[in-house]
Amino acid sequence: MMIPLPLNRLSHPRELIRQFTPNWFTATMGTGIVALALARFPFPINGVKATGEVLWFINIGLFIVCSLLYAARWIFFFDGAKRIFQHSAMGMFFGAIPMGLATILNGFLIFGTERWGHTAVEIATLLWWLDAALALLCAWLIPFLMFTRQTHTLQNMTAIWLLPIVAAEVTAASGGLLLGYLPANPASSAILFFSYALWGTSVLPALGILAILFLRMVLHKLPGRDMAVSSWLAMGPIATGALGLLQLGEQAPRILVAPELIDVGRLAESTGVIGACILWGYGLWWLVIAILTTLHYLRQGLPFNMGWWAFTFPIGVYALATLTLARITEVGLFAILGAIFVCMLLGFWLIVTGRTLVGIYHGTLFVAPCLEGSGK
């Protein structure tokens, strides 16, 4: 039997670029969160962190390739590329770009500092400010386009509405990690307070979206099979919000050393733990709903698409939040649950990566819905 040629489902190889959309950056989010979760695995297993580091390096390459391909689309197919701003779904995936970048900057702190020392911290700091700018751009621009140019209905709403909003709190959580490698000085205080502002910019609107999503599911039931996996995205802002509170609260007492701010730092630490526990419980509710939704559709068959990457990042961030709670509270149950979530994440990632590689080889995944009805 002859092996089919690569990209055999595309009419021409240039279609790979013409059809390339930001949802491919969800693969960098998923791969990056696996690398970070493996580095935080709570039980000693030889090679786990080293495997995470290898995945981090792979993720850097993946992010660069995705960036080059998407930039090429804007250069060579500008008229088609700009149609994304009118599309009610594809535009949401701009948020995946800063979230994918956040996993890379976190890796410079977790893996890079052991190889390159403070240079890795300097790189991570520059990337953090870039990531914050991109996240805020997504948080403001995409909702404004929803208000002015795109057409949305409650019945067609899914959890992908969260994607452009969540990026800011992902950056906020990364800010908490970054502060652990920085000295206590005015620059670090600026990062701390700005991270809390990013957290508020993201978590509070996201909670509002989740309330609307609950109403949508009550009135119009579950989304269609092709969007069923999007139910996992609801965990993302909750888990990242909890992780941000923990990591920022942990660093606040060390960073806020001015006499008038010492009590603020202590308050941030204590309320961070309580707030994170509350959000963790809320995330558990959505996790069970996501599992039940997936099981409901498994009987009918879930069609594979790039949306399957929603199986990875939300559960990955939830695993990191759980493991951070375990470390700070010293509650063993959190450590056990965190390890289970990391194993779930790894299993999901292996399945989705395998299916994605097959789709890349044949070219079936290079589809830009925003080009429907257009020859450009």
Side-chain angles (χ1 to χ4, degrees):
M1 185 177 65
M2 294 184 60
I3 299 176
L5 295 174
L7 304 178
N8 59 87
R9 300 292 182 86
L10 297 179
S11 59
H12 191 280
R14 67 170 175 268
E15 287 295 292
L16 186 153
I17 294 176
R18 192 176 81 93
Q19 302 279 352
F20 198 85
T21 52
N23 62 345
W24 282 92
F25 285 91
T26 59
T28 70
M29 293 169 57
T31 303
I33 202 65
V34 172
L36 301 178
L38 289 178
R40 293 289 188 255
F41 196 76
F43 304 113
I45 300 178
N46 291 335
V48 170
K49 186 173 182 179
T51 301
E53 185 175 15
V54 170
L55 286 177
W56 175 65
F57 279 115
I58 292 173
N59 196 46
I60 293 175
L62 179 60
F63 189 89
I64 292 173
V65 169
C66 288
S67 299
L68 291 175
L69 287 174
Y70 195 52
R73 187 187 184 204
W74 279 95
I75 294 171
F76 298 111
F77 302 98
F78 180 81
D79 289 341
K82 69 181 182 180
R83 290 170 63 91
I84 193 172
F85 294 119
Q86 279 77 39
H87 197 269
S88 61
M90 280 295 105
M92 304 299 150
F93 288 97
F94 276 113
I97 299 176
M99 287 192 278
L101 180 59
T103 65
I104 293 174
L105 79 86
N106 288 354
F108 270 103
L109 299 170
I110 294 174
F111 305 113
T113 50
E114 297 180 1
R115 289 181 172 270
W116 307 300
H118 189 68
T119 300
V121 178
E122 293 176 344
I123 294 172
T125 303
L126 291 174
L127 289 178
W128 186 83
W129 284 107
L130 173 61
D131 199 63
L134 291 174
L136 286 175
L137 188 63
C138 291
W140 289 326
L141 179 60
I142 303 306
F144 187 73
L145 291 175
M146 295 172 70
F147 304 157
T148 57
R149 295 190 180 185
Q150 300 169 3
T151 301
H152 296 272
T153 64
L154 182 62
Q155 183 173 359
N156 293 328
M157 176 199 185
T158 66
I160 65 170
W161 281 20
L162 294 163
L163 289 175
I165 299 293
V166 176
E169 64 180 280
V170 172
T171 308
S174 296
L177 181 65
L178 173 62
L179 288 170
Y181 296 83
L182 296 177
N185 55 35
S188 297
S189 296
I191 291 176
L192 177 69
F193 286 118
F194 190 53
S195 292
Y196 273 113
L198 287 169
W199 191 95
T201 298
S202 179
V203 173
L204 300 183
L207 292 177
I209 293 173
L210 287 174
I212 299 171
L213 181 63
F214 184 94
L215 175 65
R216 175 255 176 267
M217 293 174 70
V218 170
L219 296 180
H220 301 290
K221 308 312 174 188
L222 296 176
R225 288 191 309 143
D226 57 333
M227 296 297 292
V229 182
S230 67
S231 59
W232 289 80
L233 294 174
M235 292 173 56
I238 303 168
T240 311
L243 183 61
L245 286 178
L246 289 169
Q247 294 187 159
L248 291 170
E250 189 174 19
Q251 296 303 321
R254 187 180 65 83
I255 298 298
L256 301 179
V257 293
E260 65 274 16
L261 293 176
I262 290 177
D263 290 340
V264 175
R266 293 172 180 168
L267 180 65
E269 184 178 30
S270 57
T271 57
V273 176
I274 300 302
C277 286
I278 293 171
L279 287 174
W280 187 90
Y282 186 27
L284 184 63
W285 187 89
W286 277 106
L287 172 61
V288 175
I289 293 297
I291 292 173
L292 292 175
T293 301
T294 304
L295 293 175
H296 173 81
Y297 279 111
L298 278 179
R299 295 177 298 176
Q300 306 173 28
L302 281 174
F304 180 76
N305 52 48
M306 287 298 292
W308 276 40
W309 282 97
F311 278 126
T312 56
F313 191 79
I315 188 66
V317 180
Y318 194 65
L320 288 178
T322 306
L323 293 174
T324 305
L325 273 173
R327 177 174 57 80
I328 293 176
T329 65
E330 298 183 355
V331 175
L333 179 60
F334 281 133
I336 295 172
L337 290 174
I340 293 172
F341 296 147
V342 172
C343 292
M344 286 176 59
L345 166 65
L346 184 59
F348 285 146
W349 181 82
L350 289 171
I351 294 171
V352 177
T353 298
R355 298 289 295 272
T356 301
L357 290 175
V358 172
I360 290 173
Y361 184 86
H362 293 293
T364 55
L365 293 179
F366 297 105
V367 178
C370 46
L371 294 181
E372 292 178 0
S374 170
K376 297 181 179 182

